[in-house]
Structures are given as C-alpha cells and as structure tokens.
Amino acid sequence: MADPVVIPLSKIRRPRATPKGRSVDPVARADIAALIAGVPVEREYLIENLHRIQDRFGHLSAAHLNALADAMKLSMAEVYEVATFYHHFDVVKEGESAPPALTIRVCETLSCRMAGAQELLDELPALVGPNVRVIAAPCIGRCGEAPAVCVGHNAFGHARLEEVAKCVKDGKVYAPAQHPHGHADYVNQGGYKTWVQCVSGERDVESVIKTMEDAGLRGLGGAGFPAGRKWRIVRAEPGPRLMAVNIDEGEPGTFKDRHYLERDPHRFIEGMLIAAWAVGIDDIYVYLRDEYHACRAMLEAELAALRADPPAHLPRIHMRRGAGAYICGEESAMIESIEGRRGMPRLRPPYVAQVGLFGRPTLEHNMETLFWVRDLIEQGAQWFSKHGRNGRSGLRSFSVSGRVKKAGVHLAPAGITVKELVAEYCGGMQDGHELYAYLPGGASGGILPASMGDIPLDFDTLQPHGCFIGSAAVIILSQHDKARDAALNLMQFFEHESCGQCTPCRVGTAKAAHLMEAAKWDTALLEELSVAMADASICGLGQAAPNPIRCVAKHFPHEV
C-alpha cells in the first residue's frame, strides 16, 4: 500500500470569512439602509437611488456605491457603469477628494454663449469662493432667458453675477416664479371632462383616433411621426402595453415643454390619460430631465392632487428622473434609462412600439404632443388643421432665442417663415442687430443664411436644404456672430453628449470639433468625416451632427 499523501495545513482551502469581492463598509451600509428604507430596490430604481445618495451627500463615494450594489443585489460593475455615465452624478473614487457641496452649472451652449455665459464662467469662481464649484454645462432648457445657470437644483435665466452670488448665499432663486394652472382651477374650468367622456363610453376609441389622424398632429419631439397612426400601431400590439413620456428636452434652443408644463400641467396630464385610454395602457412612465427640478416638484404635487380626487379610474403613473444626458431624449435611450441602465440607444428593429419598455409594446410621446390632445378632441380636427401658412397646416410652438427682442415660446402657424416669425412674434431684431443666419431646428437642424429666410418652417420643408425643423428650436444670429463659431459650439456639444456606444459618433464628433478649431477648415476632410458619421452612427445624434458643418461649408464659404 502506498504511503498516504500528507497535505500541509497551510495548503488547505478554508471557507472565506467574507464574501468574494469588495467588502461593504459598515458605516456606508448603515447610510444606504437609512436612505433607501421603504423604497423599491429592483434594478429599474437604480438611477432613482443614485439620486438619493447624490442629493444627500453631494457625491457618490466608492463605499456608498458598493453598499448600494449590495442592497440592490447588483454587481459593483453594474452600479458603477451607470453612475459614471450621467453628468449629474459625481463619482468619487477611493483616495480622491469629494467635490464642494455646491455646484454651479453655467450653460455654455449657443444661445447662452451669445448672451455672455463666458463672463459668468470667468468671474464666478472668484466671486463665490473656493467652497463652490463652477463648471460649464450643456443646455439647461432656458435658452429664451440666456444666460442661464443651475445653482444646485435652482435653475434660472437672465443670470447676472450678483444674482448668482445671492442665490449661493441664501438658496433663493432670483427669477420670476411661474404659477401653474392648478388642479382645482383646471377642474372648475371643465378640465378632465373629455377624458371622463372617453372612459365612460360617451366617446369611442375609433372616433378619437380618427380625429387625431385627420388633424395631422405629428410628434413634436423632433421626429414628427403622425400621432394618430402611432396610437393605432401600438394598440394593435398584444398587451400589456406601456407608455413612456419624454420630457428630456435637451436639444440646444428647446424649452417649449418646460414652458407649457410650468403653466398648464393638467392639460398635458389629461392628454396623456386620453392617449392611455385609447391605446389600452395601465402604466405610464414620465421621464423628466434633472435640470427641471422645480417642474418635477410641481408635477408631483399636481399628480398627488389628482390622485386624491380622481374623476375616473387612473392608470398608474410613475415619475422617473433623468441625470444629465442629452442622448436620453432619443426614445430607446430614454427607455434604457427608465430601466435603470446607461442611456444608450438600441439598434432597430425591433421598434419600441413592438419591443419597448421592459420588453413590452410602448407608446412613446413627447410632452407637447400630449398637451394638444384635449383641444384636438374637443374642437375637432379642423380646428388644428385650419391654421397654417404657405401651404402648410397646423400650429407649431417655436422656441426662439438669440438676437431677437422677444425670445420665448411663440405659438404660430406651421409654415411661417423665420422673417415673419421674427417680425410678427419676436418684436424684431435687437437694436443694432440684423438677421444674418438662423438655426431652424436647434443644434441638429443645420444653419441657414438670412437670404434663405423665406423657407416655410415645418416638417419636410427644410430637408432639401440640408436642414430640418426637429423640435422647432429657432436660434437667431446677427451680423455680429459667425456661423462657423456657432457650428463649432454645437459640435463641441455633440462631442460632450455622445454616449460613446458607436465609433463613428464617439470619434467623429471629437475629431470634427478639433478640425473646426483651425483657422482654415479642411472642408474635404470634414466632409469625409461627415459621411462616416451620417451613414454609420446608430442614432440621430451622430447622424445629424454633420449638419452644421455641411451648412456652413455650403452657405457660408467665406467664413471657412
């Protein structure tokens, strides 16, 4: 018999005293337990819980992220990749110092840059002291009140150095407060009667969808897909069906959704409820950008008032908070974010109407599209379609900013020209300024010269000129501006906001921004780069990013 094999005690594997991987700090565990007590811990709530940590501690420490991963039964990698994706989460690695408790975000995108944002960025640090962080930020949705800032969660426009300093000192917002049309007033003036008529059977689904189709209302978030047709498509899909409402308007120059939400939230809510009834939806997810902190508090209060006194059975309405990512305005990226993931667009097909939120057929709508539903149903298709100019029909909410006297949201006939819009609705150009160029559809929609200011502004009218109307964000430039400078500002925005998923967009926007800084553009190389971005990018960000380059090269060759 062979001699027995003797294994030294030092070689025997003993059970681990702690789980494999990073151990959870007991203090951090207690912090997270107290912070998320009584709130859901399913994966879809990851971003909501990250916000709770950020709001409470001002940053996301490695210890707190690890404790959150443990509490939500997620891997550290899953939590970390989401936390580092969004701009409004400050992830602090082990050994790093936490940022100051208060951050001032100064919008540096085109309208605010034109209005003096650089002065704020240059002078605020010395004025507010070392315990406050001042950083440049992409559009915060207040282009009509440029320059705009966020002091913590306090966002306001027409920002001046002394006002920002006061806001830092006492926490008050130095801007006119909006007084929304609240629940009681809305009901007293006939609100929710149309929805009740739908739910009670006084109106039938087919007639309501037919009215939407006949009115010709198209999606007002940018893509312009016919709303009535979308309802019919999603309704035909097997249930359960869901709805996702996009209020993440991050397109530079766009602020119409905030404008309507601040003033008449229940008109939007009623439109949302009518759409849910028509399509057969029991769960609605409302995705609101993080920069609209005051809007969120107001909307939550108004929804609470509605739930306390509902005129009919309400579907379940879930609020979701963005975290600073322009890409989440793209419908599938928004859906990924609602599910608690990085906001990266999905490859299509399948489309969200078939496989959307949580894998279910999803009706995705922009907030303003739903805002008009009640009026269309009550007043009929002809009420909407009778408006229009230059052969177009309907109404458009133009977010106008830049060198005009009356910036803001202007409701005007579809097909109006930019010259008519400026003269009739915006009070003309500012003193000493003449129309030189304009952006008809925000950062993505291209740039046109004043000589092309008679083109009707509507869906499908601008594409022959290399532009599109998108969300109708009109930015006006004067002879004191340069189109090439505007294009560079926009490309830097795209570079900052690219999700990084696809190489043509991630590398292309960075390379284009670098080339556009040159005194003389290499237009041939920029066009080659534009072709690659437009043809090979996964979503609209990379596909539309070349529009400003091509427009400047074509219409402003003397500048490049």
Side-chain angles (χ1 to χ4, degrees), residues 156-222:
F156 58 96
H158 301 305
R160 300 293 179 263
L161 288 167
E162 60 276 8
E163 293 170 346
V164 178
K166 287 180 181 178
C167 187
V168 169
K169 182 179 179 182
D170 56 26
K172 294 181 180 178
V173 178
Y174 289 85
Q178 297 297 336
H179 300 285
H181 194 47
H183 177 259
D185 290 337
Y186 186 76
V187 171
N188 291 337
Q189 295 176 22
Y192 292 112
K193 285 186 178 179
T194 302
W195 173 56
V196 171
Q197 290 171 354
C198 293
V199 174
S200 66
E202 289 184 52
R203 296 178 184 269
D204 65 276
V205 171
E206 179 57 34
S207 66
V208 168
I209 295 180
K210 185 69 163 54
T211 298
M212 294 290 294
E213 291 174 332
D214 292 345
L217 179 67
R218 297 173 65 169
L220 298 172

Side-chain angles (χ1 to χ4, degrees), residues 88 102-108 112 120-121 124 128 132-142 147-159 163-164 167-168 172-173 258 289-294:
H88 291 184
L102 182 63
T103 296
I104 300 175
R105 289 182 167 86
V106 179
C107 175
E108 64 168 354
C112 287
L120 293 173
L121 286 167
L124 272 175
V128 298
V132 177
R133 181 175 58 164
V134 178
I135 61 174
C139 185
I140 61 175
R142 294 183 177 273
V149 302
C150 280
V151 181
H153 289 310
N154 294 331
F156 58 96
H158 301 305
E163 293 170 346
V164 178
C167 187
V168 169
K172 294 181 180 178
V173 178
R258 177 185 57 79
R289 69 181 309 197
D290 194 35
E291 290 85 349
Y292 292 174
H293 188 79

Side-chain angles (χ1 to χ4, degrees), residues 339-541:
E339 293 180 354
R341 307 178 193 279
R342 294 178 294 171
M344 288 188 166
R346 298 174 178 176
L347 290 171
R348 289 171 286 188
Y351 296 95
V352 299
Q354 287 84 40
V355 182
L357 188 57
F358 305 119
R360 301 307 310 164
T362 302
L363 177 67
E364 189 275 342
H365 263 315
N366 166 259
M367 177 268 174
E368 195 208 344
T369 310
L370 297 169
F371 183 85
W372 293 112
V373 168
R374 173 195 157 183
D375 289 314
L376 283 174
I377 303 303
E378 288 182 353
Q379 302 187 56
Q382 292 301 315
W383 166 79
F384 185 78
S385 60
K386 72 180 180 181
H387 297 280
R389 289 188 188 178
N390 301 308
R392 312 303 296 177
S393 64
L395 292 165
R396 292 302 304 241
S397 300
F398 293 95
S399 304
V400 186
S401 60
R403 307 297 191 182
V404 293
K405 288 182 178 178
K406 289 173 58 180
V409 175
H410 299 290
L411 184 63
I416 194 171
T417 69
V418 75
K419 289 180 179 178
E420 293 169 337
L421 183 65
V422 169
E424 298 176 30
Y425 290 84
C426 303
M429 298 290 291
Q430 294 175 357
D431 293 340
H433 293 265
E434 299 174 0
L435 179 63
Y436 172 68
Y438 67 103
L439 286 71
S444 305
I447 307 174
L448 293 173
S451 61
M452 300 177 69
D454 294 316
I455 300 171
L457 298 176
D458 197 16
F459 295 112
D460 309 321
T461 60
L462 294 156
Q463 279 86 336
H465 309 284
C467 298
F468 58 83
I469 194 168
S471 58
V474 179
I475 304 176
I476 303 297
L477 309 183
S478 79
Q479 78 276 20
H480 299 295
D481 306 304
K482 287 186 177 181
R484 63 166 286 156
D485 292 343
L488 174 59
N489 181 275
L490 302 176
M491 189 57 66
Q492 290 169 337
F493 169 81
F494 291 134
E495 177 189 4
H496 183 264
E497 294 300 315
S498 173
C499 74
Q501 180 177 191
C502 63
T503 303
C505 178
R506 181 184 68 250
V507 176
T509 52
K511 182 65 174 178
H514 175 70
L515 291 172
M516 293 165 72
E517 292 175 344
K520 183 174 177 57
W521 285 9
D522 186 338
T523 54
L525 183 56
L526 281 168
E527 175 56 23
E528 185 178 346
L529 192 58
S530 296
V531 170
M533 285 192 284
D535 290 352
S537 294
I538 289 174
C539 81
L541 191 157

Side-chain angles (χ1 to χ4, degrees), residues 53-83:
I53 303 172
Q54 178 76 37
D55 291 346
R56 170 64 179 83
F57 297 101
H59 63 279
L60 305 176
S61 69
H64 282 143
L65 288 177
N66 192 36
L68 180 65
D70 182 70
M72 296 187 70
K73 302 297 186 288
L74 298 171
S75 70
M76 185 61 178
E78 289 176 292
V79 173
Y80 187 80
E81 71 174 6
V82 172

